[in-house]
Amino acid sequence: ETFECITATFDVINCISKKEIKNFFEHTFKSLKKDGYFIFDVNTLYGFEDVAQGSLSIEVDDKFIAIDALYENETLETKFTVFTKDNDLYKKENGIVKQFYHSRDFLTKQLQNSRFEIETVFEFKLHDVEEPDKKIFICKAKS
């Protein structure tokens, strides 16, 4: 089945490694109708280094959440620890999410190699920060 538009939002592209991105873009292209659109967002370098990196803890009702994120070598590793109260005991759950920084030049090259044309790129501030921490790419599948 093919589609007129495919979206990949909420950091999907950042969860794909540099080695896998070409394959992802090629499969996306094959899933689009002629002149179809591919729209996605990515975190900026500022978003990784200055916004996402750090520690945060949140306590809500019967849950306590700790988040620790470290950005190095173009990879953001975020560790989540959740404690949920169950009667007088706490249940602990852990998880790790890895995200990869992709520069605009890298993405442009990979998109062009996969037969996409970038129509526009919007930069914006998702959080109340000094610089844009997100970019949205609007791409069109070349005929």
Side-chain angles (χ1 to χ4, degrees), residues 54-142:
S55 298
L56 173 68
S57 61
I58 304 166
E59 189 169 351
V60 178
D61 298 327
D62 61 346
K63 291 185 191 278
F64 176 80
I65 303 165
I67 303 168
D68 292 301
L70 177 64
Y71 177 76
E72 59 185 6
N73 301 321
E74 297 190 332
T75 302
L76 178 73
E77 185 172 287
T78 306
K79 297 177 183 178
F80 296 88
T81 305
V82 179
F83 293 93
T84 305
K85 188 172 183 179
D86 185 12
N87 295 318
D88 291 333
L89 302 174
Y90 282 87
K91 179 181 173 185
K92 178 182 174 183
E93 298 174 84
N94 292 317
I96 296 177
V97 173
K98 283 191 179 184
Q99 292 187 5
F100 306 95
Y101 170 69
H102 302 304
S103 70
R104 182 174 178 157
D105 289 342
F106 171 78
L107 291 170
T108 297
K109 182 179 177 183
Q110 297 303 314
L111 287 161
Q112 289 171 344
N113 289 342
S114 300
R115 298 176 288 171
F116 281 104
E117 178 181 293
I118 299 172
E119 289 204 343
T120 191
V121 178
F122 295 101
E123 292 189 348
F124 67 98
K125 300 174 185 179
L126 182 63
H127 301 91
D128 187 24
V129 293
E130 296 174 21
E131 295 179 33
D133 56 333
K134 286 283 197 186
K135 292 180 185 178
I136 293 179
F137 282 70
I138 300 177
C139 308
K140 191 171 186 178
K142 293 180 187 175

